[in-house]
Amino acid sequence: PVARLVVSAGGVVVALMLGVRAAGGVARERERQTLDALLTVPVSRAALLRAKLLAPVLAVKWGLAAVGAAAVG
């Protein structure tokens, strides 16, 4: 039971970190005043937001794999 709690807490922390990093990516685009140019690209806004969310996922993929392995094992 304790191991499951630790793995669950780790998953929640990783999910929160990903959300914060994705929001930070959008905020940095706004600060650099490149968000307007980015929004003129012929790609849907949903696709842009997915890419902003996917980038931190790829950055922490080994951490996610470790949490997944701990959950399985």
Side-chain angles (χ1 to χ4, degrees):
V2 174
R4 180 176 261 175
L5 179 64
V6 170
V7 170
S8 297
V12 169
V13 168
V14 168
L16 288 172
M17 287 173 45
L18 292 175
V20 167
R21 287 189 65 175
V26 173
R28 278 189 297 279
E29 293 286 347
R30 186 176 292 273
E31 286 175 1
R32 295 178 188 159
Q33 297 180 347
T34 57
L35 183 62
D36 293 334
L38 187 63
L39 292 176
T40 62
V41 174
V43 177
S44 71
R45 290 183 180 194
L48 287 173
L49 289 177
R50 275 193 302 272
K52 289 287 185 187
L53 182 61
L54 185 60
V57 168
L58 294 176
V60 297
K61 63 185 171 191
W62 296 114
L64 289 173
V67 169
V72 171

Coordinates of all heavy atoms in Angstrom, one line a residue:
P1 N 0.8 -1.2 0.0 CA 0.0 0.0 0.0 C 0.9 1.3 0.0 O 0.5 2.2 -0.6 CB -0.8 -0.1 1.3 CG -0.9 -1.5 1.6 CD 0.4 -2.1 1.1
V2 N 2.0 1.3 0.7 CA 2.8 2.5 0.8 C 3.4 2.7 -0.6 O 3.5 3.9 -1.0 CB 3.9 2.3 1.9 CG1 4.8 3.5 1.9 CG2 3.2 2.2 3.2
A3 N 3.9 1.7 -1.2 CA 4.5 1.8 -2.6 C 3.5 2.4 -3.5 O 3.9 3.3 -4.3 CB 5.0 0.5 -3.0
R4 N 2.3 1.9 -3.5 CA 1.3 2.5 -4.4 C 1.0 3.9 -4.1 O 0.8 4.7 -5.1 CB 0.0 1.7 -4.2 CG -1.1 2.1 -5.1 CD -2.3 1.3 -5.0 NE -2.3 0.4 -6.1 CZ -3.1 -0.6 -6.3 NH1 -4.1 -0.8 -5.4 NH2 -3.1 -1.4 -7.4
L5 N 1.0 4.3 -2.9 CA 0.8 5.7 -2.5 C 2.0 6.6 -3.0 O 1.7 7.7 -3.6 CB 0.7 5.9 -1.0 CG 0.5 7.3 -0.5 CD1 -0.8 7.9 -1.0 CD2 0.6 7.3 1.0
V6 N 3.2 6.1 -2.9 CA 4.3 6.8 -3.4 C 4.3 7.0 -4.9 O 4.6 8.1 -5.4 CB 5.6 6.2 -2.9 CG1 6.9 6.8 -3.6 CG2 5.8 6.3 -1.4
V7 N 4.0 5.9 -5.6 CA 3.9 6.0 -7.0 C 2.8 6.9 -7.5 O 3.0 7.7 -8.4 CB 3.7 4.6 -7.6 CG1 3.3 4.6 -9.1 CG2 4.9 3.7 -7.4
S8 N 1.6 6.9 -6.8 CA 0.5 7.8 -7.2 C 0.9 9.2 -6.9 O 0.6 10.1 -7.7 CB -0.7 7.4 -6.3 OG -1.1 6.1 -6.6
A9 N 1.6 9.5 -5.8 CA 2.0 10.8 -5.5 C 3.0 11.3 -6.5 O 3.0 12.5 -7.0 CB 2.6 10.9 -4.1
G10 N 3.9 10.4 -6.9 CA 4.9 10.7 -8.0 C 4.2 11.1 -9.3 O 4.6 12.0 -10.0
G11 N 3.2 10.3 -9.6 CA 2.5 10.6 -10.9 C 1.8 12.0 -10.8 O 1.7 12.7 -11.8
V12 N 1.2 12.3 -9.7 CA 0.5 13.6 -9.5 C 1.6 14.7 -9.6 O 1.3 15.7 -10.3 CB -0.2 13.7 -8.2 CG1 -0.7 15.1 -7.9 CG2 -1.4 12.7 -8.2
V13 N 2.7 14.6 -9.0 CA 3.7 15.6 -9.1 C 4.2 15.8 -10.5 O 4.4 16.9 -11.0 CB 4.9 15.2 -8.1 CG1 6.1 16.1 -8.4 CG2 4.5 15.3 -6.7
V14 N 4.4 14.7 -11.2 CA 4.9 14.8 -12.6 C 3.8 15.5 -13.5 O 4.1 16.4 -14.3 CB 5.2 13.4 -13.2 CG1 5.4 13.4 -14.7 CG2 6.4 12.8 -12.5
A15 N 2.5 15.1 -13.3 CA 1.5 15.8 -14.0 C 1.4 17.3 -13.7 O 1.2 18.1 -14.7 CB 0.1 15.1 -13.7
L16 N 1.6 17.7 -12.5 CA 1.6 19.1 -12.1 C 2.8 19.8 -12.8 O 2.6 20.9 -13.3 CB 1.6 19.3 -10.6 CG 0.3 18.9 -9.9 CD1 0.5 19.0 -8.4 CD2 -0.8 19.9 -10.3
M17 N 3.9 19.2 -12.7 CA 5.1 19.8 -13.3 C 4.9 20.0 -14.8 O 5.3 21.0 -15.4 CB 6.3 18.9 -13.0 CG 6.8 18.9 -11.6 SD 8.1 17.8 -11.2 CE 9.2 18.0 -12.6
L18 N 4.3 19.0 -15.5 CA 4.1 19.1 -16.9 C 3.2 20.3 -17.2 O 3.4 21.1 -18.2 CB 3.5 17.8 -17.5 CG 4.5 16.7 -17.5 CD1 3.7 15.4 -17.9 CD2 5.7 16.9 -18.3
G19 N 2.1 20.4 -16.4 CA 1.2 21.5 -16.6 C 1.9 22.9 -16.4 O 1.6 23.8 -17.2
V20 N 2.7 23.0 -15.4 CA 3.4 24.2 -15.1 C 4.4 24.6 -16.2 O 4.4 25.7 -16.7 CB 4.1 24.2 -13.7 CG1 5.1 25.3 -13.6 CG2 3.1 24.1 -12.6
R21 N 5.1 23.6 -16.7 CA 6.0 23.8 -17.8 C 5.3 24.2 -19.1 O 5.8 25.1 -19.8 CB 6.9 22.6 -18.0 CG 7.9 22.4 -16.9 CD 8.9 21.4 -17.2 NE 9.7 21.8 -18.3 CZ 10.8 21.1 -18.8 NH1 11.1 20.0 -18.1 NH2 11.4 21.5 -19.8
A22 N 4.2 23.6 -19.4 CA 3.4 24.0 -20.6 C 2.9 25.4 -20.5 O 3.0 26.2 -21.4 CB 2.3 23.0 -20.8
A23 N 2.4 25.7 -19.3 CA 1.9 27.1 -19.1 C 3.0 28.1 -19.2 O 2.9 29.2 -19.8 CB 1.2 27.2 -17.8
G24 N 4.2 27.7 -18.7 CA 5.4 28.6 -18.7 C 5.8 28.8 -20.2 O 6.3 29.9 -20.5
G25 N 5.7 27.8 -21.0 CA 6.1 27.9 -22.4 C 5.2 28.9 -23.1 O 5.7 29.8 -23.9
V26 N 3.9 28.9 -22.9 CA 3.0 29.9 -23.5 C 3.3 31.3 -22.9 O 3.3 32.3 -23.7 CB 1.5 29.5 -23.2 CG1 0.6 30.6 -23.7 CG2 1.2 28.2 -23.9
A27 N 3.5 31.4 -21.6 CA 3.8 32.7 -21.0 C 5.1 33.3 -21.6 O 5.2 34.5 -21.8 CB 3.9 32.5 -19.5
R28 N 6.1 32.4 -21.8 CA 7.4 32.9 -22.4 C 7.2 33.4 -23.8 O 7.8 34.4 -24.2 CB 8.5 31.8 -22.4 CG 9.2 31.7 -21.0 CD 10.3 30.7 -21.1 NE 10.0 29.4 -21.4 CZ 9.5 28.5 -20.6 NH1 9.3 28.8 -19.3 NH2 9.2 27.3 -20.9
E29 N 6.3 32.7 -24.5 CA 6.0 33.2 -25.9 C 5.4 34.6 -25.8 O 5.7 35.5 -26.6 CB 5.0 32.3 -26.6 CG 5.6 30.9 -26.9 CD 6.6 31.0 -28.1 OE1 6.7 31.9 -28.8 OE2 7.3 29.9 -28.2
R30 N 4.5 34.8 -24.8 CA 3.9 36.1 -24.7 C 4.9 37.2 -24.2 O 4.9 38.3 -24.8 CB 2.8 36.0 -23.7 CG 2.0 37.3 -23.5 CD 0.8 37.2 -22.6 NE -0.2 36.3 -23.1 CZ -1.2 36.7 -23.9 NH1 -1.3 37.9 -24.3 NH2 -2.1 35.8 -24.3
E31 N 5.8 36.8 -23.3 CA 6.8 37.8 -22.8 C 7.8 38.2 -24.0 O 8.2 39.3 -24.1 CB 7.6 37.2 -21.7 CG 6.9 37.1 -20.4 CD 7.7 36.4 -19.3 OE1 8.8 35.9 -19.6 OE2 7.2 36.2 -18.2
R32 N 8.1 37.2 -24.8 CA 9.0 37.5 -25.9 C 8.3 38.2 -27.1 O 9.0 38.5 -28.1 CB 9.7 36.2 -26.4 CG 10.6 35.6 -25.4 CD 11.2 34.3 -25.9 NE 11.9 33.6 -24.9 CZ 12.1 32.3 -24.9 NH1 11.7 31.6 -25.9 NH2 12.8 31.7 -23.9
Q33 N 7.0 38.3 -27.0 CA 6.2 38.9 -28.0 C 6.3 38.1 -29.3 O 6.2 38.7 -30.4 CB 6.5 40.4 -28.2 CG 6.3 41.2 -27.0 CD 6.6 42.7 -27.2 OE1 7.3 43.0 -28.1 NE2 6.2 43.5 -26.2
T34 N 6.4 36.8 -29.1 CA 6.4 35.9 -30.3 C 5.1 35.1 -30.4 O 4.9 34.4 -31.4 CB 7.5 34.9 -30.3 OG1 7.5 34.2 -29.0 CG2 8.9 35.7 -30.3
L35 N 4.2 35.3 -29.4 CA 2.9 34.5 -29.4 C 2.1 34.9 -30.6 O 1.5 34.1 -31.3 CB 2.2 34.7 -28.1 CG 0.9 33.9 -27.9 CD1 1.2 32.4 -28.0 CD2 0.2 34.3 -26.7
D36 N 2.0 36.2 -30.9 CA 1.1 36.7 -32.0 C 1.6 36.1 -33.3 O 0.8 35.6 -34.1 CB 1.1 38.2 -32.1 CG 0.4 38.8 -30.9 OD1 -0.4 38.1 -30.3 OD2 0.7 40.0 -30.5
A37 N 2.9 36.1 -33.5 CA 3.5 35.5 -34.7 C 3.2 34.0 -34.8 O 2.9 33.4 -35.8 CB 5.0 35.7 -34.8
L38 N 3.3 33.3 -33.6 CA 3.1 31.9 -33.6 C 1.6 31.6 -33.9 O 1.3 30.6 -34.5 CB 3.4 31.4 -32.2 CG 3.4 29.9 -31.9 CD1 4.4 29.2 -32.8 CD2 3.7 29.6 -30.5
L39 N 0.7 32.4 -33.5 CA -0.7 32.2 -33.7 C -1.1 32.4 -35.2 O -2.2 32.1 -35.6 CB -1.6 33.0 -32.8 CG -1.5 32.6 -31.3 CD1 -2.3 33.6 -30.5 CD2 -2.0 31.2 -31.1
T40 N -0.2 33.1 -36.0 CA -0.5 33.3 -37.4 C -0.1 32.1 -38.2 O -0.4 32.0 -39.4 CB 0.2 34.5 -37.9 OG1 1.6 34.3 -37.8 CG2 -0.2 35.8 -37.2
V41 N 0.6 31.1 -37.7 CA 1.0 29.9 -38.4 C -0.3 29.1 -38.7 O -1.2 29.0 -37.9 CB 1.9 29.0 -37.5 CG1 2.3 27.7 -38.2 CG2 3.2 29.8 -37.2
P42 N -0.4 28.6 -39.9 CA -1.6 27.9 -40.3 C -1.8 26.5 -39.7 O -1.9 25.5 -40.3 CB -1.5 27.7 -41.9 CG 0.0 27.7 -42.1 CD 0.6 28.6 -41.0
V43 N -1.8 26.5 -38.3 CA -2.0 25.3 -37.5 C -3.0 25.7 -36.5 O -3.1 26.9 -36.0 CB -0.7 24.9 -36.8 CG1 -0.9 23.7 -35.9 CG2 0.4 24.6 -37.9
S44 N -3.9 24.8 -36.1 CA -4.9 25.1 -35.1 C -4.3 25.4 -33.8 O -3.2 25.0 -33.4 CB -5.9 23.9 -35.0 OG -5.3 22.9 -34.3
R45 N -5.0 26.2 -33.0 CA -4.5 26.6 -31.7 C -4.4 25.3 -30.8 O -3.5 25.2 -30.0 CB -5.4 27.6 -31.1 CG -5.3 29.0 -31.7 CD -6.1 30.0 -31.1 NE -6.0 31.3 -31.8 CZ -6.3 32.4 -31.3 NH1 -6.9 32.5 -30.1 NH2 -6.1 33.5 -32.0
A46 N -5.3 24.4 -31.0 CA -5.3 23.2 -30.2 C -4.0 22.4 -30.5 O -3.4 21.9 -29.6 CB -6.5 22.3 -30.5
A47 N -3.6 22.4 -31.8 CA -2.3 21.7 -32.1 C -1.1 22.4 -31.5 O -0.2 21.7 -31.0 CB -2.2 21.6 -33.6
L48 N -1.2 23.7 -31.5 CA -0.1 24.5 -30.8 C 0.0 24.2 -29.3 O 1.1 23.9 -28.8 CB -0.2 26.0 -31.0 CG 0.1 26.5 -32.4 CD1 -0.3 28.0 -32.5 CD2 1.5 26.3 -32.8
L49 N -1.1 24.1 -28.7 CA -1.2 23.8 -27.3 C -0.7 22.4 -27.0 O 0.0 22.1 -26.0 CB -2.6 24.1 -26.7 CG -2.9 25.6 -26.6 CD1 -4.3 25.7 -26.1 CD2 -2.0 26.3 -25.7
R50 N -1.1 21.5 -27.9 CA -0.7 20.1 -27.7 C 0.8 20.0 -27.8 O 1.5 19.3 -27.0 CB -1.3 19.2 -28.7 CG -2.7 18.7 -28.3 CD -3.1 17.5 -29.2 NE -3.2 17.9 -30.7 CZ -4.2 18.4 -31.3 NH1 -5.3 18.7 -30.6 NH2 -4.2 18.7 -32.5
A51 N 1.4 20.7 -28.8 CA 2.9 20.8 -28.9 C 3.5 21.4 -27.7 O 4.6 20.9 -27.2 CB 3.3 21.5 -30.2
K52 N 2.9 22.4 -27.1 CA 3.5 23.0 -25.9 C 3.4 22.1 -24.7 O 4.3 22.1 -23.9 CB 2.7 24.3 -25.6 CG 3.0 25.5 -26.5 CD 4.4 26.0 -26.3 CE 4.6 27.2 -27.1 NZ 6.0 27.6 -27.0
L53 N 2.4 21.2 -24.7 CA 2.3 20.2 -23.6 C 3.2 19.0 -23.9 O 3.8 18.5 -23.0 CB 0.8 19.7 -23.5 CG 0.6 18.7 -22.4 CD1 0.9 19.3 -21.0 CD2 -0.9 18.3 -22.4
L54 N 3.4 18.7 -25.2 CA 4.2 17.5 -25.5 C 5.7 17.7 -25.2 O 6.4 16.8 -24.9 CB 4.0 17.1 -26.9 CG 4.6 15.8 -27.4 CD1 4.2 14.7 -26.6 CD2 4.4 15.6 -28.9
A55 N 6.1 18.9 -25.4 CA 7.6 19.2 -25.2 C 8.0 18.9 -23.8 O 9.1 18.2 -23.7 CB 7.8 20.7 -25.6
P56 N 7.4 19.3 -22.8 CA 7.8 18.9 -21.4 C 7.7 17.4 -21.2 O 8.5 16.9 -20.4 CB 6.9 19.7 -20.5 CG 6.2 20.7 -21.3 CD 6.3 20.3 -22.7
V57 N 6.7 16.8 -21.8 CA 6.6 15.3 -21.6 C 7.8 14.6 -22.2 O 8.4 13.8 -21.6 CB 5.3 14.8 -22.4 CG1 5.3 13.3 -22.4 CG2 4.1 15.3 -21.7
L58 N 8.3 15.1 -23.4 CA 9.5 14.5 -23.9 C 10.7 14.8 -23.1 O 11.6 14.0 -23.0 CB 9.6 15.0 -25.4 CG 8.6 14.5 -26.4 CD1 8.8 15.1 -27.7 CD2 8.5 13.0 -26.4
A59 N 10.7 16.0 -22.5 CA 11.8 16.4 -21.6 C 11.9 15.5 -20.4 O 13.0 15.3 -19.9 CB 11.7 17.8 -21.2
V60 N 10.8 15.0 -19.9 CA 10.9 14.2 -18.6 C 10.5 12.8 -18.9 O 10.0 12.1 -18.0 CB 10.0 14.8 -17.5 CG1 10.4 16.2 -17.1 CG2 8.5 14.9 -18.0
K61 N 10.6 12.3 -20.1 CA 10.2 11.0 -20.5 C 10.8 9.9 -19.6 O 10.2 8.9 -19.3 CB 10.4 10.7 -21.9 CG 11.8 10.7 -22.4 CD 11.9 10.5 -23.9 CE 13.3 10.7 -24.3 NZ 13.5 10.8 -25.7
W62 N 12.1 10.1 -19.2 CA 12.7 9.0 -18.4 C 12.1 9.0 -17.0 O 11.9 8.0 -16.4 CB 14.2 9.2 -18.3 CG 14.8 9.0 -19.7 CD1 15.4 10.0 -20.4 CD2 14.8 7.9 -20.5 NE1 15.8 9.5 -21.6 CE2 15.5 8.2 -21.7 CE3 14.4 6.6 -20.3 CZ2 15.7 7.2 -22.7 CZ3 14.6 5.6 -21.3 CH2 15.2 6.0 -22.5
G63 N 11.7 10.2 -16.5 CA 11.1 10.2 -15.2 C 9.7 9.6 -15.2 O 9.3 8.8 -14.3
L64 N 9.0 9.8 -16.3 CA 7.7 9.2 -16.5 C 7.8 7.6 -16.6 O 7.0 6.9 -16.1 CB 7.0 9.7 -17.7 CG 6.5 11.1 -17.7 CD1 6.0 11.6 -19.0 CD2 5.4 11.3 -16.6
A65 N 8.9 7.2 -17.3 CA 9.1 5.8 -17.5 C 9.4 5.1 -16.1 O 9.0 4.0 -15.8 CB 10.2 5.5 -18.5
A66 N 10.2 5.8 -15.3 CA 10.5 5.3 -14.0 C 9.3 5.2 -13.1 O 9.1 4.2 -12.4 CB 11.6 6.2 -13.3
V67 N 8.4 6.2 -13.1 CA 7.2 6.1 -12.4 C 6.3 5.0 -12.9 O 5.7 4.3 -12.1 CB 6.4 7.5 -12.4 CG1 5.0 7.4 -11.8 CG2 7.2 8.6 -11.7
G68 N 6.2 4.8 -14.2 CA 5.4 3.8 -14.8 C 6.0 2.4 -14.4 O 5.2 1.5 -14.1
A69 N 7.3 2.3 -14.4 CA 7.9 1.0 -14.1 C 7.7 0.7 -12.6 O 7.4 -0.5 -12.2 CB 9.4 1.0 -14.3
A70 N 7.7 1.7 -11.8 CA 7.5 1.5 -10.3 C 6.0 1.1 -10.1 O 5.7 0.3 -9.2 CB 7.8 2.7 -9.5
A71 N 5.1 1.6 -10.9 CA 3.7 1.3 -10.8 C 3.4 -0.1 -11.2 O 2.6 -0.8 -10.5 CB 2.9 2.2 -11.6
V72 N 4.1 -0.6 -12.2 CA 3.9 -2.0 -12.7 C 4.6 -3.0 -11.7 O 4.0 -4.0 -11.4 CB 4.5 -2.1 -14.1 CG1 4.5 -3.6 -14.5 CG2 3.7 -1.3 -15.1
G73 N 5.8 -2.6 -11.3 CA 6.6 -3.6 -10.5 C 6.2 -3.5 -9.1 O 5.9 -4.2 -8.3

